[in-house]
Amino acid sequence: MQAVQKAPEGTPAAGGMFVVIVHSAEDVEGKHHTNPYVHIYFKGEERKTKHVKKNKDPKWNEEFSFMLEEPPIHEKMHVKVFSTSSRIVFVLRL
């Protein structure tokens, strides 16, 4: 079990830090080698992983943080996996 970390200094009392970890993908579409990456869009902010060159089973293990003023009760997070030959879209509702 991982220990819960204290919120960073300046974190709003009703909000907090929302952390997203992008681990990996499997069998990213494409006839040839792809260069996949992930694009995250949440509450008007965008984040991208690095490109993993020539790989259909990429491993990113990248962490992204979003500072929240209040709990994200009705927010949507858009997660898109891009490659050179296709686009796969996942929409997550929190």
Side-chain angles (χ1 to χ4, degrees):
M1 181 188 317
Q2 247 183 349
V4 176
Q5 296 178 355
K6 185 177 178 183
E9 190 72 31
T11 300
M17 185 72 69
F18 180 59
V19 178
V20 175
I21 301 172
V22 179
H23 290 284
S24 62
E26 294 179 5
D27 199 24
V28 176
E29 292 180 4
K31 292 180 182 177
H32 304 289
H33 292 295
T34 60
N35 299 313
Y37 67 97
V38 175
H39 181 264
I40 300 169
Y41 185 80
F42 180 66
K43 290 187 66 83
E45 295 184 48
E46 297 180 59
R47 305 284 195 281
K48 291 182 186 178
T49 64
K50 64 182 183 266
H51 289 255
V52 178
K53 297 192 185 262
K54 299 181 180 181
N55 197 321
K56 290 188 176 192
D57 298 310
K59 294 185 186 336
W60 293 282
N61 295 317
E62 292 187 44
E63 183 175 298
F64 301 96
S65 299
F66 297 88
M67 183 68 77
L68 301 176
E69 297 292 325
E70 56 190 35
I73 297 171
H74 300 290
E75 299 295 333
K76 287 184 182 179
M77 173 179 284
H78 294 265
V79 179
K80 298 178 182 181
V81 178
F82 290 95
S83 72
T84 46
S85 59
S86 67
R87 183 176 90 181
I88 305 161
V89 179
F90 301 95
V91 179
L92 305 176
R93 178 174 233 144
L94 303 176

